Amino acid sequence: MNEVLGSTSARPLRTLGILILCLSVFIPACADASEITIAAASDLTFAFKDVATRFEQQTGNAVKLSYGSSGNFFSQIQNGAPYDLFFSADIDYPKKLEAAGLTEAGTLYPYANGRIVLWAPDESKLDLSRGLQALLEPALRKIAIANPEHAPYGRAAVAAMRHEGIYDKVRDKLVLGENVSQAAQFVQSGNADIGIVALSLAVAPAMKARGRFVEVPAADYPAIVQAAVILKSSHEKQVAWQFLNFLKEPAVAALMQQHGFTAPQAIDLEK
């Protein structure tokens, strides 16, 4: 009887041992995985979906993306928003955070240059070959751009229109999106006739399939130098560094170019 009881009680013990052994294999892998939260300018919406997927597959770490206007993110971060990385649509906001002591030292990185385009739906009769002069068409009612108060792409749009000498003639027709993605949505939904939006959005499948675009000459507006920083408040600095370095890999840089971004040119970070 004692032997039978001993044999029976040993089975659950062996089962428990096997279970513990299995858990010891899987738990460390789960424990080592981390999640970073990224505040990303809205022009990165499509590019970063692909970049983040590759990063997760390669490293096992997770990426949580929040998209919006760079200026709004700048204000949120100043007020303690819990992001690990900030990818701005220009370099000025990250520089200001750096000057305020809110970034990890040595992390300011110009990751891409952005470009703007005129985009109109396929059914539009506007002659986009005229470039920004097409905005003077009498039949054109509304022009969508990002709000220049806090969106770098909106400031670039205004600068380009001023360069062409048409801003004062069309300013009453401007419809302002909270960010460049919302400006693009205004045109897609018919709430605007045409938009000045990011090239990275115009080449994305959703817009490419429904409209046409022409690039605004880069000489018409100040360079959109986009930059990133790791925030000092980040609890996942090691993984944040890993993501930043991941962007510098040739294959990832090529992926960004496919999404309408050009490689960042050498710039003086002290300016």
Side-chain angles (χ1 to χ4, degrees), residues 46-47 60 65-66 84 90 95 120-121 129 149-150 154-155 180-181 184 188 196 199 225 258 267:
F46 298 101
L65 292 162
S66 295
D84 296 295
D90 74 357
K95 275 188 171 183
S129 67
E149 290 295 321
H150 49 246
R155 290 196 288 273
V180 73
S181 289
Q188 287 180 281
I196 304 178
L199 174 62
V225 181
Q258 291 173 20
I267 59 172

PDB file of all heavy atoms in Angstrom, residues 46-47 60 65-66 84 90 95 120-121 129 149-150 154-155 180-181 184 188 196 199 225 258 267:
ATOM      1  N   PHE A  46       2.738  55.298 -42.254  1.00  0.00           N
ATOM      2  CA  PHE A  46       2.880  54.075 -43.055  1.00  0.00           C
ATOM      3  C   PHE A  46       4.298  53.521 -42.980  1.00  0.00           C
ATOM      4  O   PHE A  46       4.491  52.307 -42.884  1.00  0.00           O
ATOM      5  CB  PHE A  46       2.479  54.346 -44.509  1.00  0.00           C
ATOM      6  CG  PHE A  46       1.044  54.759 -44.642  1.00  0.00           C
ATOM      7  CD1 PHE A  46       0.704  56.100 -44.801  1.00  0.00           C
ATOM      8  CD2 PHE A  46       0.028  53.818 -44.582  1.00  0.00           C
ATOM      9  CE1 PHE A  46      -0.627  56.483 -44.910  1.00  0.00           C
ATOM     10  CE2 PHE A  46      -1.309  54.193 -44.692  1.00  0.00           C
ATOM     11  CZ  PHE A  46      -1.629  55.531 -44.846  1.00  0.00           C
ATOM     12  N   ALA A  47       5.274  54.394 -42.989  1.00  0.00           N
ATOM     13  CA  ALA A  47       6.670  53.942 -42.932  1.00  0.00           C
ATOM     14  C   ALA A  47       6.960  53.189 -41.645  1.00  0.00           C
ATOM     15  O   ALA A  47       7.581  52.122 -41.654  1.00  0.00           O
ATOM     16  CB  ALA A  47       7.607  55.137 -43.078  1.00  0.00           C
ATOM     17  N   GLY A  60      12.390  40.783 -31.061  1.00  0.00           N
ATOM     18  CA  GLY A  60      11.467  40.228 -30.078  1.00  0.00           C
ATOM     19  C   GLY A  60      10.864  41.267 -29.162  1.00  0.00           C
ATOM     20  O   GLY A  60       9.991  40.963 -28.339  1.00  0.00           O
ATOM     21  N   LEU A  65       3.155  52.587 -31.100  1.00  0.00           N
ATOM     22  CA  LEU A  65       3.280  53.828 -31.862  1.00  0.00           C
ATOM     23  C   LEU A  65       2.090  54.748 -31.623  1.00  0.00           C
ATOM     24  O   LEU A  65       0.938  54.323 -31.675  1.00  0.00           O
ATOM     25  CB  LEU A  65       3.382  53.515 -33.349  1.00  0.00           C
ATOM     26  CG  LEU A  65       4.668  52.795 -33.797  1.00  0.00           C
ATOM     27  CD1 LEU A  65       4.467  52.161 -35.168  1.00  0.00           C
ATOM     28  CD2 LEU A  65       5.835  53.764 -33.823  1.00  0.00           C
ATOM     29  N   SER A  66       2.393  56.013 -31.372  1.00  0.00           N
ATOM     30  CA  SER A  66       1.357  57.049 -31.278  1.00  0.00           C
ATOM     31  C   SER A  66       1.703  58.108 -32.312  1.00  0.00           C
ATOM     32  O   SER A  66       2.838  58.604 -32.344  1.00  0.00           O
ATOM     33  CB  SER A  66       1.329  57.676 -29.884  1.00  0.00           C
ATOM     34  OG  SER A  66       0.939  56.738 -28.910  1.00  0.00           O
ATOM     35  N   ASP A  84       9.136  56.881 -24.781  1.00  0.00           N
ATOM     36  CA  ASP A  84      10.548  56.508 -24.755  1.00  0.00           C
ATOM     37  C   ASP A  84      11.337  57.249 -25.832  1.00  0.00           C
ATOM     38  O   ASP A  84      12.477  57.659 -25.612  1.00  0.00           O
ATOM     39  CB  ASP A  84      10.700  54.996 -24.953  1.00  0.00           C
ATOM     40  CG  ASP A  84      10.077  54.199 -23.821  1.00  0.00           C
ATOM     41  OD1 ASP A  84      10.567  54.310 -22.689  1.00  0.00           O
ATOM     42  OD2 ASP A  84       9.079  53.491 -24.070  1.00  0.00           O
ATOM     43  N   ASP A  90      10.406  67.699 -37.619  1.00  0.00           N
ATOM     44  CA  ASP A  90      11.506  68.645 -37.833  1.00  0.00           C
ATOM     45  C   ASP A  90      12.501  68.503 -36.688  1.00  0.00           C
ATOM     46  O   ASP A  90      12.270  67.773 -35.724  1.00  0.00           O
ATOM     47  CB  ASP A  90      11.002  70.081 -37.994  1.00  0.00           C
ATOM     48  CG  ASP A  90      10.547  70.716 -36.679  1.00  0.00           C
ATOM     49  OD1 ASP A  90      10.561  70.035 -35.631  1.00  0.00           O
ATOM     50  OD2 ASP A  90      10.187  71.902 -36.701  1.00  0.00           O
ATOM     51  N   LYS A  95      15.507  69.590 -30.558  1.00  0.00           N
ATOM     52  CA  LYS A  95      16.572  70.468 -30.053  1.00  0.00           C
ATOM     53  C   LYS A  95      16.120  71.219 -28.809  1.00  0.00           C
ATOM     54  O   LYS A  95      16.884  71.394 -27.853  1.00  0.00           O
ATOM     55  CB  LYS A  95      16.980  71.461 -31.134  1.00  0.00           C
ATOM     56  CG  LYS A  95      18.010  70.938 -32.111  1.00  0.00           C
ATOM     57  CD  LYS A  95      18.473  72.074 -33.014  1.00  0.00           C
ATOM     58  CE  LYS A  95      19.644  71.689 -33.865  1.00  0.00           C
ATOM     59  NZ  LYS A  95      20.115  72.825 -34.688  1.00  0.00           N
ATOM     60  N   ALA A 120      -4.289  65.549 -55.336  1.00  0.00           N
ATOM     61  CA  ALA A 120      -5.710  65.720 -55.657  1.00  0.00           C
ATOM     62  C   ALA A 120      -6.294  64.374 -56.038  1.00  0.00           C
ATOM     63  O   ALA A 120      -5.582  63.505 -56.565  1.00  0.00           O
ATOM     64  CB  ALA A 120      -5.893  66.717 -56.800  1.00  0.00           C
ATOM     65  N   PRO A 121      -7.583  64.153 -55.786  1.00  0.00           N
ATOM     66  CA  PRO A 121      -8.215  62.876 -56.170  1.00  0.00           C
ATOM     67  C   PRO A 121      -8.268  62.722 -57.680  1.00  0.00           C
ATOM     68  O   PRO A 121      -8.218  63.704 -58.424  1.00  0.00           O
ATOM     69  CB  PRO A 121      -9.618  62.982 -55.555  1.00  0.00           C
ATOM     70  CG  PRO A 121      -9.844  64.440 -55.362  1.00  0.00           C
ATOM     71  CD  PRO A 121      -8.513  65.052 -55.090  1.00  0.00           C
ATOM     72  N   SER A 129       0.157  69.872 -63.201  1.00  0.00           N
ATOM     73  CA  SER A 129       1.433  70.178 -63.836  1.00  0.00           C
ATOM     74  C   SER A 129       1.817  71.648 -63.657  1.00  0.00           C
ATOM     75  O   SER A 129       2.982  72.013 -63.835  1.00  0.00           O
ATOM     76  CB  SER A 129       1.375  69.836 -65.331  1.00  0.00           C
ATOM     77  OG  SER A 129       0.479  70.698 -66.014  1.00  0.00           O
ATOM     78  N   GLU A 149       0.872  76.157 -37.079  1.00  0.00           N
ATOM     79  CA  GLU A 149       1.188  76.539 -35.698  1.00  0.00           C
ATOM     80  C   GLU A 149       1.969  75.449 -34.970  1.00  0.00           C
ATOM     81  O   GLU A 149       2.803  75.730 -34.115  1.00  0.00           O
ATOM     82  CB  GLU A 149      -0.102  76.854 -34.933  1.00  0.00           C
ATOM     83  CG  GLU A 149      -0.799  78.119 -35.376  1.00  0.00           C
ATOM     84  CD  GLU A 149       0.034  79.364 -35.100  1.00  0.00           C
ATOM     85  OE1 GLU A 149       0.672  79.417 -34.041  1.00  0.00           O
ATOM     86  OE2 GLU A 149       0.065  80.255 -35.969  1.00  0.00           O
ATOM     87  N   HIS A 150       1.714  74.181 -35.305  1.00  0.00           N
ATOM     88  CA  HIS A 150       2.412  73.107 -34.599  1.00  0.00           C
ATOM     89  C   HIS A 150       2.808  71.938 -35.491  1.00  0.00           C
ATOM     90  O   HIS A 150       3.310  70.928 -35.000  1.00  0.00           O
ATOM     91  CB  HIS A 150       1.558  72.590 -33.428  1.00  0.00           C
ATOM     92  CG  HIS A 150       0.147  72.274 -33.783  1.00  0.00           C
ATOM     93  ND1 HIS A 150      -0.921  72.981 -33.290  1.00  0.00           N
ATOM     94  CD2 HIS A 150      -0.382  71.343 -34.613  1.00  0.00           C
ATOM     95  CE1 HIS A 150      -2.037  72.486 -33.774  1.00  0.00           C
ATOM     96  NE2 HIS A 150      -1.735  71.484 -34.579  1.00  0.00           N
ATOM     97  N   GLY A 154       2.935  71.813 -42.282  1.00  0.00           N
ATOM     98  CA  GLY A 154       2.097  72.988 -42.522  1.00  0.00           C
ATOM     99  C   GLY A 154       2.951  74.227 -42.736  1.00  0.00           C
ATOM    100  O   GLY A 154       2.661  75.056 -43.620  1.00  0.00           O
ATOM    101  N   ARG A 155       4.021  74.351 -41.960  1.00  0.00           N
ATOM    102  CA  ARG A 155       4.926  75.491 -42.132  1.00  0.00           C
ATOM    103  C   ARG A 155       5.619  75.423 -43.490  1.00  0.00           C
ATOM    104  O   ARG A 155       5.817  76.447 -44.158  1.00  0.00           O
ATOM    105  CB  ARG A 155       5.951  75.525 -41.004  1.00  0.00           C
ATOM    106  CG  ARG A 155       5.342  75.905 -39.657  1.00  0.00           C
ATOM    107  CD  ARG A 155       6.396  76.300 -38.647  1.00  0.00           C
ATOM    108  NE  ARG A 155       7.171  75.165 -38.165  1.00  0.00           N
ATOM    109  CZ  ARG A 155       6.811  74.394 -37.145  1.00  0.00           C
ATOM    110  NH1 ARG A 155       5.671  74.636 -36.513  1.00  0.00           N
ATOM    111  NH2 ARG A 155       7.576  73.403 -36.736  1.00  0.00           N
ATOM    112  N   VAL A 180      -0.478  66.525 -40.618  1.00  0.00           N
ATOM    113  CA  VAL A 180      -0.482  66.355 -42.073  1.00  0.00           C
ATOM    114  C   VAL A 180      -1.346  65.167 -42.507  1.00  0.00           C
ATOM    115  O   VAL A 180      -1.914  65.175 -43.609  1.00  0.00           O
ATOM    116  CB  VAL A 180       0.963  66.238 -42.598  1.00  0.00           C
ATOM    117  CG1 VAL A 180       1.590  64.890 -42.246  1.00  0.00           C
ATOM    118  CG2 VAL A 180       1.021  66.482 -44.099  1.00  0.00           C
ATOM    119  N   SER A 181      -1.493  64.165 -41.654  1.00  0.00           N
ATOM    120  CA  SER A 181      -2.371  63.044 -41.993  1.00  0.00           C
ATOM    121  C   SER A 181      -3.824  63.490 -42.061  1.00  0.00           C
ATOM    122  O   SER A 181      -4.574  63.063 -42.947  1.00  0.00           O
ATOM    123  CB  SER A 181      -2.224  61.916 -40.970  1.00  0.00           C
ATOM    124  OG  SER A 181      -0.983  61.273 -41.100  1.00  0.00           O
ATOM    125  N   ALA A 184      -4.458  65.315 -45.233  1.00  0.00           N
ATOM    126  CA  ALA A 184      -4.634  64.371 -46.335  1.00  0.00           C
ATOM    127  C   ALA A 184      -6.037  63.763 -46.308  1.00  0.00           C
ATOM    128  O   ALA A 184      -6.666  63.571 -47.359  1.00  0.00           O
ATOM    129  CB  ALA A 184      -3.580  63.277 -46.248  1.00  0.00           C
ATOM    130  N   GLN A 188      -9.045  63.404 -49.185  1.00  0.00           N
ATOM    131  CA  GLN A 188      -9.567  62.082 -49.519  1.00  0.00           C
ATOM    132  C   GLN A 188     -11.077  61.996 -49.318  1.00  0.00           C
ATOM    133  O   GLN A 188     -11.787  61.327 -50.074  1.00  0.00           O
ATOM    134  CB  GLN A 188      -8.887  61.010 -48.674  1.00  0.00           C
ATOM    135  CG  GLN A 188      -7.441  60.726 -49.065  1.00  0.00           C
ATOM    136  CD  GLN A 188      -6.835  59.656 -48.184  1.00  0.00           C
ATOM    137  OE1 GLN A 188      -6.429  59.903 -47.059  1.00  0.00           O
ATOM    138  NE2 GLN A 188      -6.777  58.446 -48.702  1.00  0.00           N
ATOM    139  N   ILE A 196      -1.780  70.071 -49.723  1.00  0.00           N
ATOM    140  CA  ILE A 196      -0.316  70.056 -49.722  1.00  0.00           C
ATOM    141  C   ILE A 196       0.073  69.151 -48.564  1.00  0.00           C
ATOM    142  O   ILE A 196      -0.090  69.510 -47.398  1.00  0.00           O
ATOM    143  CB  ILE A 196       0.281  71.468 -49.549  1.00  0.00           C
ATOM    144  CG1 ILE A 196      -0.252  72.414 -50.621  1.00  0.00           C
ATOM    145  CG2 ILE A 196       1.804  71.411 -49.608  1.00  0.00           C
ATOM    146  CD1 ILE A 196       0.259  73.853 -50.481  1.00  0.00           C
ATOM    147  N   LEU A 199       4.997  63.689 -48.944  1.00  0.00           N
ATOM    148  CA  LEU A 199       5.218  62.685 -49.983  1.00  0.00           C
ATOM    149  C   LEU A 199       5.032  61.275 -49.420  1.00  0.00           C
ATOM    150  O   LEU A 199       4.507  60.389 -50.103  1.00  0.00           O
ATOM    151  CB  LEU A 199       6.628  62.840 -50.560  1.00  0.00           C
ATOM    152  CG  LEU A 199       7.079  61.776 -51.566  1.00  0.00           C
ATOM    153  CD1 LEU A 199       6.186  61.775 -52.800  1.00  0.00           C
ATOM    154  CD2 LEU A 199       8.540  61.990 -51.952  1.00  0.00           C
ATOM    155  N   VAL A 225      14.053  68.762 -42.102  1.00  0.00           N
ATOM    156  CA  VAL A 225      14.996  67.827 -41.491  1.00  0.00           C
ATOM    157  C   VAL A 225      14.312  67.204 -40.276  1.00  0.00           C
ATOM    158  O   VAL A 225      14.043  67.881 -39.284  1.00  0.00           O
ATOM    159  CB  VAL A 225      16.299  68.538 -41.055  1.00  0.00           C
ATOM    160  CG1 VAL A 225      17.272  67.527 -40.442  1.00  0.00           C
ATOM    161  CG2 VAL A 225      16.936  69.234 -42.247  1.00  0.00           C
ATOM    162  N   GLN A 258      11.789  54.089 -49.705  1.00  0.00           N
ATOM    163  CA  GLN A 258      10.626  53.578 -50.441  1.00  0.00           C
ATOM    164  C   GLN A 258       9.351  54.282 -50.003  1.00  0.00           C
ATOM    165  O   GLN A 258       8.397  54.402 -50.773  1.00  0.00           O
ATOM    166  CB  GLN A 258      10.485  52.074 -50.225  1.00  0.00           C
ATOM    167  CG  GLN A 258      11.564  51.234 -50.878  1.00  0.00           C
ATOM    168  CD  GLN A 258      11.460  49.771 -50.491  1.00  0.00           C
ATOM    169  OE1 GLN A 258      10.408  49.297 -50.045  1.00  0.00           O
ATOM    170  NE2 GLN A 258      12.548  49.039 -50.631  1.00  0.00           N
ATOM    171  N   ILE A 267      24.298  67.828 -41.323  1.00  0.00           N
ATOM    172  CA  ILE A 267      23.908  69.155 -40.870  1.00  0.00           C
ATOM    173  C   ILE A 267      24.655  69.512 -39.599  1.00  0.00           C
ATOM    174  O   ILE A 267      25.208  68.647 -38.924  1.00  0.00           O
ATOM    175  CB  ILE A 267      22.392  69.248 -40.593  1.00  0.00           C
ATOM    176  CG1 ILE A 267      21.992  68.227 -39.523  1.00  0.00           C
ATOM    177  CG2 ILE A 267      21.582  69.042 -41.848  1.00  0.00           C
ATOM    178  CD1 ILE A 267      20.568  68.392 -39.056  1.00  0.00           C
TER     179      ILE A 267
END
